[in-house]
């Protein structure tokens, strides 16, 4: 059996330009590729951090701009080395926080959530 991994997480967005800018400027993503869908309506963009074999973020515009919140991906998690430094850094930027502080789980893992430009939840997570 071949090895499996998560390839990408798809997030439906209303404004591709604003979403690409948000992920690149605030969270350090790189734009890896952008393409129209074969149906001529949907546009796709793939973002990552430049690592070979990484799980990518796929932004999808034009699929359905009026989906309810629960119709979008609930969240995706970014692994960070220092969740406290990321919390402080993002507080200095125009980023909407879902959490007022950092949560520590019983196993010691720590996280907080921020919101992307279309209300998608992004978890910054430290093991």
């Amino acid at each position: 059996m071949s090895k499996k991994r998560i390839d990408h997480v798809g997030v439906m967005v209303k404004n591709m330009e604003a979403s690409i800018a948000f992920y690149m400027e605030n969270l350090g993503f790189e734009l890896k590729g952008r393409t129209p869908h074969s149906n001529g309506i949907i546009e796709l963009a793939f973002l990552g951090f430049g690592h070979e074999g990484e799980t990518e973020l796929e932004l999808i515009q034009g699929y359905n701009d009026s989906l309810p919140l629960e119709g979008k991906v609930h969240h995706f998690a970014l692994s960070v080395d220092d969740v406290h430094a990321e919390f402080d850094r993002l507080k200095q930027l125009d980023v909407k926080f879902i959490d007022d502080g950092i949560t520590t789980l019983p196993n010691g893992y720590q996280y907080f959530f921020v919101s992307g430009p279309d209300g998608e939840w992004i978890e910054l997570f430290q093991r």
Side-chain angles (χ1 to χ4, degrees):
M1 181 181 276
S2 64
K3 288 185 178 181
K4 294 182 180 171
R5 66 177 184 82
I6 297 172
D7 183 76
H8 66 271
V9 175
V11 175
M12 289 178 272
V13 301
K14 293 179 184 174
N15 182 318
M16 184 66 79
E17 300 304 324
S19 293
I20 290 171
F22 175 86
Y23 287 108
M24 291 178 68
E25 294 170 11
N26 295 308
L27 297 174
F29 279 85
E30 299 170 9
L31 181 62
K32 296 180 84 174
R34 194 169 173 176
T35 185
H37 191 279
S38 57
N39 69 9
I41 298 170
I42 295 172
E43 182 181 8
L44 307 173
F46 292 88
L47 294 92
F49 297 104
H51 307 294
E52 185 172 326
E54 70 184 348
T55 300
E56 296 179 350
L57 174 63
E58 176 189 34
L59 303 179
I60 307 161
Q61 179 182 308
Y63 180 75
N64 183 346
D65 290 340
S66 61
L67 283 175
L69 285 177
E70 59 273 9
K72 298 177 183 177
V73 172
H74 177 266
H75 80 275
F76 64 92
L78 300 178
S79 177
V80 297
D81 292 330
D82 185 341
V83 73
H84 294 274
E86 284 298 308
F87 187 89
D88 293 342
R89 185 182 72 79
L90 290 173
K91 277 290 191 186
Q92 304 303 312
L93 302 173
D94 185 24
V95 176
K96 180 181 176 189
F97 279 71
I98 294 167
D99 295 324
D100 292 330
I102 296 168
T103 299
T104 302
L105 299 173
N107 61 5
Y109 294 175
Q110 296 182 308
Y111 72 90
F112 66 93
F113 281 95
V114 297
S115 178
D118 287 301
E120 66 274 17
W121 286 23
I122 305 154
E123 178 183 19
L124 287 92
F125 185 82
Q126 181 179 349
R127 293 178 184 268

